[in-house]
Coordinates of all heavy atoms in Angstrom, one line a residue:
M1 N 34.8 105.6 165.7 CA 35.2 104.2 165.3 C 35.9 104.2 163.9 O 35.4 104.9 163.0 CB 33.9 103.4 165.2 CG 34.1 101.9 164.9 SD 32.6 100.9 164.7 CE 31.8 101.1 166.3
S2 N 37.0 103.5 163.8 CA 37.7 103.5 162.5 C 37.0 102.7 161.5 O 36.1 101.9 161.8 CB 39.1 102.9 162.7 OG 39.0 101.5 162.9
A3 N 37.4 102.8 160.2 CA 36.7 102.1 159.1 C 36.9 100.6 159.3 O 36.0 99.8 159.1 CB 37.3 102.5 157.8
D4 N 38.1 100.2 159.8 CA 38.4 98.8 160.1 C 37.4 98.2 161.1 O 37.0 97.1 161.0 CB 39.8 98.6 160.5 CG 40.8 98.7 159.4 OD1 40.3 98.7 158.2 OD2 42.0 98.7 159.6
E5 N 37.2 99.0 162.1 CA 36.3 98.5 163.2 C 34.8 98.4 162.8 O 34.1 97.6 163.3 CB 36.4 99.5 164.4 CG 37.7 99.4 165.1 CD 37.9 100.6 166.2 OE1 37.3 101.6 165.9 OE2 38.5 100.3 167.2
Q6 N 34.5 99.1 161.7 CA 33.1 99.1 161.2 C 32.8 97.8 160.3 O 31.7 97.4 160.1 CB 32.8 100.3 160.4 CG 32.7 101.6 161.3 CD 32.5 102.8 160.4 OE1 31.6 102.8 159.5 NE2 33.2 103.9 160.7
L7 N 33.9 97.2 159.8 CA 33.7 96.1 158.9 C 33.3 94.9 159.8 O 33.8 94.6 160.9 CB 35.1 95.7 158.2 CG 35.4 96.6 157.0 CD1 36.8 96.2 156.5 CD2 34.4 96.4 155.9
T8 N 32.4 94.1 159.2 CA 32.0 92.8 159.8 C 33.1 91.8 159.6 O 34.0 92.0 158.8 CB 30.7 92.3 159.2 OG1 30.9 92.1 157.8 CG2 29.6 93.3 159.4
L9 N 33.0 90.6 160.3 CA 33.9 89.6 160.1 C 33.9 89.1 158.7 O 32.9 88.9 158.0 CB 33.5 88.4 161.0 CG 34.4 87.2 161.1 CD1 35.7 87.6 161.7 CD2 33.8 86.1 161.9
G10 N 35.1 89.1 158.1 CA 35.3 88.8 156.7 C 34.9 89.9 155.7 O 35.0 89.7 154.5
G11 N 34.6 91.1 156.2 CA 34.3 92.2 155.4 C 33.0 92.1 154.6 O 32.7 92.8 153.7
V12 N 32.1 91.2 155.1 CA 30.8 91.0 154.5 C 29.9 92.2 154.7 O 29.8 92.7 155.9 CB 30.1 89.7 154.9 CG1 28.7 89.6 154.3 CG2 31.0 88.5 154.6
V13 N 29.2 92.7 153.7 CA 28.3 93.9 153.8 C 26.9 93.4 153.5 O 26.7 92.7 152.5 CB 28.8 95.0 152.9 CG1 27.8 96.2 153.0 CG2 30.2 95.4 153.1
E14 N 26.0 93.8 154.3 CA 24.6 93.4 154.1 C 24.0 94.0 152.9 O 24.4 95.1 152.5 CB 23.8 93.8 155.3 CG 24.1 93.1 156.6 CD 23.9 91.6 156.6 OE1 22.9 91.2 155.9 OE2 24.6 90.8 157.2
P15 N 23.0 93.3 152.2 CA 22.4 93.9 151.0 C 21.8 95.3 151.3 O 21.3 95.5 152.4 CB 21.3 92.9 150.7 CG 21.6 91.7 151.4 CD 22.4 92.0 152.6
R16 N 21.9 96.1 150.3 CA 21.3 97.5 150.3 C 22.0 98.5 151.3 O 21.6 99.6 151.4 CB 19.8 97.4 150.7 CG 19.0 96.7 149.6 CD 17.5 97.0 149.7 NE 16.9 96.4 148.5 CZ 15.7 96.7 148.1 NH1 14.9 97.6 148.9 NH2 15.2 96.3 147.0
T17 N 23.1 98.0 151.9 CA 23.8 99.0 152.8 C 24.5 100.1 151.9 O 25.0 101.0 152.5 CB 24.8 98.3 153.7 OG1 25.6 97.5 152.9 CG2 24.1 97.5 154.8
S18 N 24.6 99.9 150.6 CA 25.2 100.9 149.8 C 24.4 102.2 149.7 O 24.9 103.2 149.3 CB 25.4 100.4 148.3 OG 24.2 99.9 147.8
L19 N 23.2 102.1 150.3 CA 22.4 103.4 150.4 C 23.2 104.4 151.3 O 22.9 105.6 151.3 CB 21.0 103.1 151.0 CG 20.0 102.6 149.9 CD1 18.7 102.3 150.6 CD2 19.8 103.6 148.8
A20 N 24.1 103.9 152.1 CA 24.9 104.8 153.0 C 25.9 105.5 152.2 O 26.5 106.4 152.7 CB 25.5 103.9 154.1
N21 N 26.1 105.1 150.9 CA 27.2 105.7 150.1 C 26.6 106.6 149.0 O 26.2 106.0 148.0 CB 28.1 104.6 149.5 CG 28.7 103.8 150.6 OD1 29.2 104.3 151.6 ND2 28.7 102.5 150.3
E22 N 26.7 107.9 149.1 CA 26.2 108.7 148.1 C 27.1 108.7 146.9 O 28.3 108.5 147.0 CB 26.1 110.2 148.6 CG 25.0 110.3 149.7 CD 24.8 111.8 150.0 OE1 25.3 112.7 149.4 OE2 24.0 112.0 151.0
T23 N 26.5 108.8 145.7 CA 27.3 108.6 144.5 C 28.3 109.7 144.2 O 29.4 109.5 143.7 CB 26.4 108.4 143.3 OG1 25.5 107.4 143.5 CG2 27.2 108.2 142.0
G24 N 27.9 110.9 144.5 CA 28.8 112.1 144.2 C 28.7 112.4 142.8 O 27.7 112.3 142.1
S25 N 29.9 112.8 142.2 CA 29.9 113.4 140.8 C 30.5 112.4 139.8 O 30.7 112.8 138.7 CB 30.6 114.7 140.8 OG 32.0 114.5 141.2
W26 N 30.8 111.2 140.2 CA 31.6 110.3 139.3 C 30.7 109.5 138.4 O 31.2 108.9 137.4 CB 32.5 109.4 140.1 CG 31.8 108.5 141.1 CD1 31.8 108.7 142.5 CD2 31.2 107.3 140.9 NE1 31.1 107.7 143.1 CE2 30.7 106.8 142.2 CE3 30.9 106.5 139.8 CZ2 30.0 105.6 142.3 CZ3 30.2 105.3 140.0 CH2 29.8 104.9 141.2
R27 N 29.3 109.4 138.6 CA 28.5 108.6 137.7 C 28.6 109.2 136.3 O 28.5 110.4 136.0 CB 27.0 108.7 138.2 CG 26.1 107.9 137.4 CD 24.6 108.0 137.9 NE 24.3 109.4 138.0 CZ 23.8 110.0 139.1 NH1 23.6 109.3 140.2 NH2 23.5 111.3 139.1
S28 N 28.8 108.3 135.3 CA 28.9 108.7 133.9 C 27.6 108.6 133.1 O 27.5 109.1 132.0 CB 30.0 107.8 133.2 OG 29.6 106.4 133.2
Q29 N 26.7 107.8 133.6 CA 25.4 107.8 132.9 C 24.3 107.6 134.0 O 24.5 107.2 135.1 CB 25.3 106.6 131.9 CG 25.6 105.3 132.5 CD 25.6 104.1 131.5 OE1 25.3 104.4 130.3 NE2 25.8 102.9 131.9
R30 N 23.0 107.9 133.6 CA 21.9 107.8 134.5 C 20.7 107.1 133.8 O 20.6 107.3 132.6 CB 21.5 109.1 135.1 CG 21.0 110.1 134.0 CD 20.3 111.3 134.6 NE 21.3 112.1 135.4 CZ 20.9 113.1 136.2 NH1 19.6 113.4 136.3 NH2 21.8 113.8 136.8
P31 N 19.9 106.4 134.5 CA 18.7 105.8 133.9 C 17.6 106.8 133.9 O 17.4 107.6 134.8 CB 18.4 104.7 134.9 CG 18.9 105.2 136.2 CD 20.0 106.0 135.9
V32 N 16.9 106.8 132.7 CA 15.6 107.6 132.6 C 14.5 106.6 132.4 O 14.5 105.8 131.5 CB 15.8 108.6 131.4 CG1 14.4 109.3 131.2 CG2 16.9 109.6 131.6
F33 N 13.5 106.7 133.2 CA 12.4 105.8 133.2 C 11.2 106.4 132.4 O 10.8 107.5 132.6 CB 11.9 105.5 134.7 CG 12.8 104.7 135.5 CD1 14.1 105.2 135.9 CD2 12.5 103.4 135.8 CE1 15.0 104.4 136.6 CE2 13.4 102.6 136.5 CZ 14.6 103.1 136.9
D34 N 10.6 105.5 131.6 CA 9.4 105.9 130.8 C 8.2 105.3 131.4 O 7.9 104.1 131.3 CB 9.6 105.5 129.3 CG 8.4 105.9 128.5 OD1 7.4 106.4 129.0 OD2 8.4 105.6 127.2
A35 N 7.5 106.1 132.2 CA 6.3 105.6 132.9 C 5.2 105.1 132.0 O 4.4 104.2 132.4 CB 5.7 106.7 133.8
E36 N 5.1 105.6 130.8 CA 4.1 105.1 129.8 C 4.4 103.7 129.3 O 3.5 102.9 129.1 CB 4.1 106.1 128.6 CG 3.7 107.5 129.0 CD 2.3 107.6 129.5 OE1 1.4 106.9 129.0 OE2 2.1 108.3 130.5
T37 N 5.7 103.4 129.2 CA 6.1 102.0 128.7 C 6.2 101.0 129.8 O 5.9 99.8 129.6 CB 7.4 102.1 128.0 OG1 7.4 103.1 127.0 CG2 7.8 100.8 127.3
C38 N 6.5 101.4 131.0 CA 6.6 100.5 132.2 C 5.4 99.7 132.4 O 4.3 100.2 132.4 CB 7.0 101.3 133.4 SG 7.0 100.4 134.9
I39 N 5.6 98.4 132.6 CA 4.5 97.5 132.9 C 4.5 97.1 134.4 O 3.7 96.2 134.8 CB 4.5 96.2 132.0 CG1 5.9 95.5 132.2 CG2 4.3 96.5 130.6 CD1 6.0 94.1 131.5
G40 N 5.3 97.7 135.2 CA 5.3 97.5 136.6 C 5.7 96.1 137.1 O 5.3 95.6 138.1
C41 N 6.7 95.5 136.3 CA 7.1 94.1 136.7 C 8.0 94.1 137.9 O 8.1 93.1 138.6 CB 7.8 93.5 135.5 SG 9.4 94.2 135.1
G42 N 8.6 95.2 138.2 CA 9.5 95.3 139.4 C 10.9 94.7 139.3 O 11.6 94.6 140.2
L43 N 11.3 94.3 138.1 CA 12.6 93.7 137.9 C 13.7 94.7 138.2 O 14.8 94.3 138.7 CB 12.7 93.1 136.5 CG 12.0 91.8 136.2 CD1 12.1 91.4 134.8 CD2 12.5 90.7 137.2
C44 N 13.5 95.9 137.8 CA 14.5 96.9 138.0 C 14.8 97.1 139.5 O 15.9 97.2 140.0 CB 14.2 98.3 137.4 SG 12.5 98.9 137.9
E45 N 13.7 97.1 140.3 CA 13.9 97.2 141.8 C 14.6 95.9 142.3 O 15.4 96.1 143.2 CB 12.5 97.3 142.4 CG 12.5 97.5 143.9 CD 11.2 97.7 144.5 OE1 10.2 97.4 143.9 OE2 11.1 98.2 145.7
R46 N 14.2 94.8 141.8 CA 14.8 93.5 142.3 C 16.3 93.4 142.0 O 17.1 93.0 142.8 CB 14.1 92.3 141.7 CG 14.5 91.0 142.3 CD 13.8 89.8 141.8 NE 12.3 90.0 141.9 CZ 11.4 89.2 141.4 NH1 11.8 88.2 140.6 NH2 10.2 89.4 141.6
F47 N 16.7 93.9 140.9 CA 18.1 93.7 140.5 C 19.0 94.9 140.7 O 20.2 94.7 140.7 CB 18.2 93.3 139.0 CG 17.8 91.9 138.7 CD1 16.5 91.6 138.4 CD2 18.7 90.9 138.8 CE1 16.1 90.2 138.2 CE2 18.4 89.6 138.6 CZ 17.1 89.2 138.2
C48 N 18.5 96.0 141.1 CA 19.4 97.2 141.3 C 20.3 96.9 142.5 O 19.8 96.7 143.6 CB 18.5 98.4 141.6 SG 19.5 99.8 142.1
P49 N 21.6 96.8 142.3 CA 22.5 96.5 143.4 C 22.5 97.5 144.5 O 23.0 97.3 145.6 CB 23.8 96.3 142.7 CG 23.7 97.1 141.5 CD 22.3 97.1 141.1
D50 N 22.0 98.7 144.2 CA 22.1 99.8 145.2 C 20.7 100.0 145.9 O 20.6 100.9 146.7 CB 22.6 101.1 144.6 CG 24.1 100.9 144.3 OD1 24.9 101.0 145.2 OD2 24.4 100.6 143.1
G51 N 19.7 99.3 145.5 CA 18.4 99.4 146.1 C 17.7 100.7 145.8 O 16.9 101.2 146.7
V52 N 18.0 101.3 144.7 CA 17.5 102.7 144.5 C 16.4 102.8 143.4 O 15.7 103.8 143.3 CB 18.6 103.7 144.2 CG1 19.4 103.9 145.5 CG2 19.4 103.3 143.1
A53 N 16.3 101.7 142.6 CA 15.2 101.7 141.6 C 13.9 101.2 142.4 O 13.9 100.1 142.8 CB 15.5 100.7 140.5
Q54 N 13.0 102.1 142.5 CA 11.8 101.8 143.4 C 10.5 102.3 142.8 O 10.5 103.3 142.0 CB 12.0 102.3 144.8 CG 13.2 101.7 145.5 CD 13.4 102.2 146.9 OE1 13.0 103.3 147.2 NE2 14.0 101.4 147.7
E55 N 9.4 101.6 143.2 CA 8.1 102.1 142.7 C 7.8 103.4 143.4 O 8.1 103.6 144.6 CB 7.1 101.0 143.2 CG 5.7 101.3 142.6 CD 4.8 100.1 142.8 OE1 5.1 99.2 143.5 OE2 3.6 100.2 142.3
V56 N 7.2 104.3 142.6 CA 6.8 105.6 143.1 C 5.3 105.7 142.9 O 4.6 104.9 142.4 CB 7.6 106.7 142.3 CG1 9.0 106.7 142.6 CG2 7.3 106.7 140.8
E57 N 4.8 106.8 143.4 CA 3.3 107.0 143.4 C 2.8 106.8 142.0 O 3.4 107.3 141.0 CB 3.0 108.5 143.9 CG 1.6 108.6 144.3 CD 1.4 110.0 145.0 OE1 2.2 110.4 145.8 OE2 0.4 110.7 144.6
G58 N 1.7 106.1 141.9 CA 1.0 105.9 140.6 C 1.5 104.6 139.9 O 1.0 104.3 138.8
G59 N 2.3 103.8 140.6 CA 2.7 102.5 140.1 C 3.9 102.6 139.1 O 4.3 101.5 138.6
A60 N 4.4 103.7 138.9 CA 5.6 103.8 138.0 C 6.9 103.6 138.8 O 6.8 103.5 140.0 CB 5.6 105.2 137.3
Y61 N 8.0 103.5 138.1 CA 9.3 103.3 138.8 C 10.2 104.4 138.5 O 10.1 105.1 137.4 CB 9.9 101.9 138.3 CG 9.3 100.8 139.0 CD1 8.0 100.3 138.7 CD2 9.9 100.1 140.1 CE1 7.4 99.3 139.4 CE2 9.4 99.1 140.8 CZ 8.1 98.7 140.4 OH 7.5 97.6 141.1
D62 N 11.1 104.7 139.4 CA 12.0 105.8 139.3 C 13.2 105.5 140.2 O 13.3 104.5 140.8 CB 11.4 107.2 139.6 CG 12.0 108.3 138.9 OD1 13.1 108.1 138.3 OD2 11.5 109.4 138.9
V63 N 14.1 106.4 140.2 CA 15.4 106.2 141.0 C 15.8 107.4 141.7 O 15.6 108.6 141.3 CB 16.5 105.8 140.0 CG1 16.7 106.8 138.9 CG2 17.7 105.4 140.7
D64 N 16.4 107.2 142.9 CA 17.0 108.3 143.7 C 18.4 108.5 143.2 O 19.3 107.7 143.5 CB 17.0 108.0 145.2 CG 17.5 109.1 146.0 OD1 18.1 110.0 145.5 OD2 17.2 109.1 147.2
L65 N 18.6 109.5 142.4 CA 19.9 109.8 141.8 C 21.0 110.1 142.8 O 22.2 110.1 142.4 CB 19.8 110.8 140.7 CG 19.0 110.4 139.5 CD1 18.8 111.6 138.6 CD2 19.8 109.3 138.7
T66 N 20.7 110.4 144.0 CA 21.7 110.7 145.0 C 22.6 109.4 145.2 O 23.8 109.5 145.5 CB 21.0 111.0 146.4 OG1 20.1 112.1 146.1 CG2 22.1 111.5 147.4
Y67 N 22.0 108.2 145.0 CA 22.7 107.0 145.3 C 22.9 106.1 144.0 O 23.7 105.2 144.1 CB 21.9 106.2 146.3 CG 21.7 106.9 147.6 CD1 20.5 107.5 147.9 CD2 22.7 107.1 148.5 CE1 20.3 108.2 149.0 CE2 22.5 107.8 149.7 CZ 21.3 108.4 149.9 OH 21.1 109.1 151.1
C68 N 22.1 106.4 143.0 CA 22.3 105.6 141.7 C 23.7 105.7 141.2 O 24.3 106.7 141.1 CB 21.3 106.1 140.7 SG 21.6 105.4 139.0
K69 N 24.3 104.5 140.9 CA 25.7 104.4 140.4 C 25.8 104.4 138.9 O 26.9 104.4 138.4 CB 26.4 103.2 141.0 CG 26.4 103.1 142.5 CD 26.9 104.3 143.2 CE 27.0 104.1 144.7 NZ 25.7 104.2 145.4
G70 N 24.6 104.4 138.2 CA 24.7 104.4 136.8 C 25.2 103.1 136.1 O 25.7 103.2 135.0
C71 N 25.0 102.0 136.8 CA 25.6 100.8 136.3 C 24.8 100.2 135.1 O 25.4 99.5 134.3 CB 25.6 99.7 137.4 SG 24.0 99.2 138.0
G72 N 23.5 100.5 135.0 CA 22.7 100.1 133.8 C 22.1 98.7 134.0 O 21.5 98.3 133.0
I73 N 22.3 98.1 135.1 CA 21.7 96.8 135.3 C 20.1 96.9 135.2 O 19.5 96.0 134.6 CB 22.1 96.2 136.7 CG1 23.6 95.9 136.7 CG2 21.3 95.0 137.1 CD1 24.1 95.4 138.0
C74 N 19.5 97.9 135.7 CA 18.1 98.0 135.7 C 17.6 98.1 134.2 O 16.7 97.4 133.8 CB 17.6 99.3 136.4 SG 18.5 100.8 135.8
A75 N 18.3 98.8 133.4 CA 17.9 98.9 132.0 C 18.1 97.6 131.3 O 17.3 97.2 130.4 CB 18.8 100.0 131.3
G76 N 19.2 96.8 131.7 CA 19.4 95.5 131.1 C 18.3 94.5 131.4 O 18.1 93.6 130.6
Q77 N 17.7 94.7 132.6 CA 16.7 93.7 133.0 C 15.3 94.1 132.5 O 14.4 93.2 132.5 CB 16.7 93.7 134.6 CG 17.9 93.1 135.2 CD 18.1 91.6 134.8 OE1 17.1 90.9 134.7 NE2 19.3 91.2 134.6
C78 N 15.1 95.3 132.2 CA 13.7 95.7 131.8 C 13.2 95.0 130.6 O 13.9 95.1 129.5 CB 13.7 97.3 131.6 SG 12.0 97.9 131.2
P79 N 12.1 94.3 130.6 CA 11.7 93.5 129.5 C 11.0 94.3 128.4 O 10.8 93.8 127.3 CB 10.6 92.6 130.1 CG 10.1 93.3 131.3 CD 11.3 94.1 131.8
V80 N 10.7 95.6 128.7 CA 10.0 96.4 127.6 C 10.8 97.6 127.3 O 10.2 98.6 126.7 CB 8.6 96.8 128.1 CG1 7.7 95.5 128.2 CG2 8.6 97.5 129.4
D81 N 12.1 97.7 127.6 CA 12.9 98.8 127.3 C 12.3 100.2 127.8 O 12.4 101.1 127.0 CB 13.2 98.9 125.8 CG 14.0 97.7 125.3 OD1 14.8 97.2 126.1 OD2 13.9 97.3 124.2
A82 N 11.9 100.1 129.0 CA 11.3 101.4 129.6 C 12.3 102.2 130.3 O 12.0 103.3 130.8 CB 10.2 101.0 130.6
I83 N 13.6 101.7 130.3 CA 14.7 102.5 130.9 C 15.8 102.7 129.9 O 16.3 101.8 129.3 CB 15.3 101.7 132.1 CG1 14.2 101.3 133.1 CG2 16.3 102.6 132.8 CD1 14.7 100.3 134.2
E84 N 16.1 104.0 129.7 CA 17.2 104.4 128.8 C 18.3 104.9 129.6 O 18.1 105.8 130.5 CB 16.7 105.4 127.8 CG 17.7 105.8 126.8 CD 17.3 107.0 125.9 OE1 16.2 107.5 126.1 OE2 18.1 107.3 125.0
M85 N 19.5 104.5 129.4 CA 20.7 105.0 130.0 C 21.2 106.2 129.2 O 21.5 106.0 128.0 CB 21.8 104.0 130.2 CG 21.4 102.8 131.0 SD 20.9 103.2 132.7 CE 22.4 103.9 133.4
V86 N 21.3 107.3 129.8 CA 21.7 108.5 129.1 C 23.0 109.1 129.7 O 23.2 108.9 130.9 CB 20.6 109.6 129.0 CG1 19.4 109.1 128.4 CG2 20.4 110.1 130.4
P87 N 23.9 109.7 128.9 CA 25.1 110.2 129.4 C 24.9 111.3 130.5 O 23.9 112.1 130.4 CB 25.8 110.9 128.2 CG 25.2 110.2 127.0 CD 23.8 109.9 127.4
E88 N 25.7 111.3 131.6 CA 25.5 112.3 132.6 C 26.1 113.6 132.1 O 27.2 113.6 131.6 CB 26.3 111.8 133.8 CG 26.1 112.6 135.1 CD 24.7 112.4 135.6 OE1 24.4 111.3 136.2 OE2 23.9 113.3 135.5
V89 N 25.3 114.6 132.3 CA 25.8 116.0 131.9 C 26.5 116.6 133.1 O 26.0 116.7 134.2 CB 24.6 116.9 131.5 CG1 25.1 118.3 131.2 CG2 23.8 116.2 130.4
K90 N 27.8 116.9 132.9 CA 28.7 117.4 133.9 C 28.6 118.9 134.0 O 28.5 119.6 133.0 CB 30.1 117.0 133.8 CG 30.3 115.5 133.7 CD 30.1 114.9 135.1 CE 30.3 113.4 135.0 NZ 30.1 112.7 136.3
Ligands
SF4_1 S1 21.7 102.3 137.0 FE1 22.3 100.7 138.5 S2 22.3 101.8 140.5 FE2 21.1 103.1 139.1 S3 19.0 102.5 139.4 FE3 19.9 101.2 137.7 S4 20.6 99.4 138.6 FE4 20.3 100.9 140.2
SF4_2 S1 11.9 96.7 134.8 FE1 11.0 98.1 133.3 S2 8.9 97.4 133.1 FE2 9.7 96.4 135.0 S3 9.1 97.9 136.6 FE3 11.2 98.5 136.0 S4 10.9 100.1 134.4 FE4 8.9 99.0 134.7

């Protein structure tokens, strides 16, 4: 099936379908989560456009870097600055 045939009417893409797109090597920064500072509010998970900021075992939050685009929205939403965006090491 061609790429055109896979598009829905109007090119609308359902939420979280970007999980189908691995980031590759182009990300320029990545989020680092501080489990000690995190209060478990879940805002990073709610606002991550790629659906990859998620609760992990123990109630902390982390990210699957295979899909994280490094946009920094999660860090911007975190009320206690528990997420630091750091430069990607190439
Ligand atoms: S940097 Fe962007 S893509 Fe990565 S976890 Fe945060 S909000 Fe999601
Ligand atoms: S936004 Fe910050 S405090 Fe809230 S769950 Fe995510 S890392 Fe924890």
Side-chain angles (χ1 to χ4, degrees):
M1 184 184 296
S2 73
D4 283 350
E5 291 171 327
Q6 293 176 44
L7 280 177
T8 58
L9 188 64
V12 176
V13 179
E14 294 295 326
R16 295 196 169 195
T17 51
S18 54
L19 282 177
N21 301 318
E22 294 187 7
T23 303
S25 61
W26 56 263
R27 183 181 52 234
S28 62
Q29 56 179 0
R30 66 169 62 192
V32 175
F33 289 71
D34 181 355
E36 298 297 317
T37 306
C38 174
I39 58 173
C41 69
L43 285 177
C44 53
E45 180 177 20
R46 184 178 304 173
F47 282 93
C48 173
D50 290 280
V52 293
Q54 294 182 335
E55 190 172 3
V56 295
E57 199 172 313
Y61 281 74
D62 207 348
V63 60
D64 185 343
L65 289 170
T66 307
Y67 302 101
C68 169
K69 307 301 185 291
C71 64
I73 291 175
C74 54
Q77 291 296 324
C78 181
V80 292
D81 294 331
I83 308 171
E84 181 185 6
M85 298 303 296
V86 301
E88 191 68 75
V89 178
K90 301 288 181 182

